[in-house]
Amino acid sequence: MGQPADYDQMLAELAQADVVLFGEQHNDVMAHWLELQVAKDLLRLKKPGQLVLGLEMFERDVQPLVAQYTAGTLADTAFERQARPWPNYATDYRPLLLFARQNKVPVVGTNVPRPFAQAVARGSLKALDKLPAVDRALLAPLPLKVDYELPGYKNMAAMFGGDGKAHGGGAQNIIQAQALKDATMAHFIRASCQNGQTLLHLNGSYHSDRHDGIVAYLRQYAPKLRVKTLSVVSQEQLQQARQGAGESG
């Protein structure tokens, strides 16, 4: 890692993928600029109707609003009032939605609604056992299997002072909430990607670095999908760029 890459060659490879997971730092303005550029260039390489945009930044229960907005049937003010956009939406994500609207690119919000993730963080996945069907439709299929040996989840456990599975409670619940996000995004990515399409998905890099997180659940749900990952990092010295991102066949 840390070696120069040819942008055009990278684009050609991304255009052949079914899913491209673009891992960002949410406050990195250069990453947001690059996301829009990659979306524009993939659109140029793909046939009409073959590009789909997926966003961690919108939760599944506001998908009807996302669809209405990108179709041009919902005003900015109403969308921003009802869709719970992130604080940096206006500068960092609105340009992507406008690009999608102008070019008739479907947009899919993929994230789990926050109250469900919070419930799991407080009370484990058991908090979802009695959800009605209307709520379950907003989540990955339940019951959810969590692989605590995935590097990302092991790192989370270490941040909480040990093995998340063994300690139970706090650390395990936080990992389960993270897994619910990863699995839900993977589930709706798979459901939204048709043959011949490339779905460009924007998410925090922790959800796709090391080819775990979302990628692990995509392998479980749809092992034949061709998945590529990108990860944008801030680095003062290019020669010391850290490892972590790459591509998954």
Side-chain angles (χ1 to χ4, degrees):
M1 300 297 175
Q3 299 301 315
D6 181 83
Y7 180 77
D8 290 334
Q9 180 181 349
M10 178 194 76
L11 275 176
E13 293 184 14
L14 298 184
Q16 297 301 314
D18 300 311
V19 176
V20 176
L21 301 175
F22 195 122
E24 65 167 42
Q25 303 299 314
H26 298 316
N27 61 352
D28 185 346
V29 295
M30 290 301 295
H32 300 305
W33 170 84
L34 184 58
E35 286 166 345
L36 181 57
Q37 192 62 46
V38 168
K40 289 179 178 178
D41 289 335
L42 281 177
L43 180 66
R44 175 174 51 83
L45 292 178
K46 304 292 290 186
K47 295 179 181 179
Q50 288 190 340
L51 180 65
V52 179
L53 188 62
L55 296 172
E56 173 196 3
M57 300 79 199
F58 291 101
E59 298 163 17
R60 283 306 300 170
D61 59 320
V62 302
Q63 177 59 32
L65 301 175
V66 173
Q68 291 171 37
Y69 181 73
T70 52
T73 60
L74 184 65
D76 284 79
T77 51
F79 178 72
E80 293 175 25
R81 184 174 64 251
Q82 300 174 48
R84 304 190 303 275
W86 288 12
N88 59 333
Y89 163 76
T91 55
D92 296 335
Y93 303 114
R94 183 172 179 269
L96 283 155
L97 293 191
L98 291 178
F99 156 79
R101 184 166 69 183
Q102 291 163 2
N103 293 281
K104 295 181 171 54
V105 173
V107 178
V108 182
T110 59
N111 209 353
V112 61
R114 193 167 303 173
F116 301 119
Q118 291 173 338
V120 172
R122 290 192 300 266
S124 84
L125 286 167
K126 292 181 180 180
L128 307 178
D129 285 350
K130 297 182 179 179
L131 284 182
V134 65
D135 289 338
R136 284 175 173 253
L138 302 172
L139 310 175
L142 299 175
L144 183 66
K145 180 181 178 181
V146 181
D147 182 358
Y148 295 94
E149 296 304 309
L150 290 175
Y153 297 163
K154 291 183 74 172
N155 287 346
M156 292 179 69
M159 287 189 288
F160 285 91
D163 176 71
K165 186 176 181 180
H167 283 258
Q172 182 174 346
N173 291 354
I174 296 296
I175 293 168
Q176 289 181 1
Q178 180 81 356
L180 179 64
K181 295 177 183 179
D182 290 334
T184 297
M185 287 189 274
H187 172 67
F188 288 106
I189 287 171
R190 180 198 56 172
S192 305
C193 188
Q194 307 301 318
N195 288 339
Q197 292 182 329
T198 294
L199 191 150
L200 173 63
H201 188 266
L202 312 184
N203 52 262
S205 60
Y206 203 85
H207 290 289
S208 53
D209 279 356
R210 299 167 299 273
H211 301 156
D212 59 20
I214 296 172
V215 182
Y217 281 103
L218 283 174
R219 286 174 177 156
Q220 178 180 326
Y221 295 149
K224 293 184 179 180
L225 279 181
R226 295 167 297 176
V227 180
K228 301 285 185 181
T229 65
L230 302 176
S231 188
V232 177
V233 298
S234 298
Q235 191 72 40
E236 292 184 4
Q237 297 293 329
L238 290 178
Q239 291 80 5
Q240 298 174 9
R242 69 172 178 81
Q243 296 187 8
E247 64 180 42
S248 174

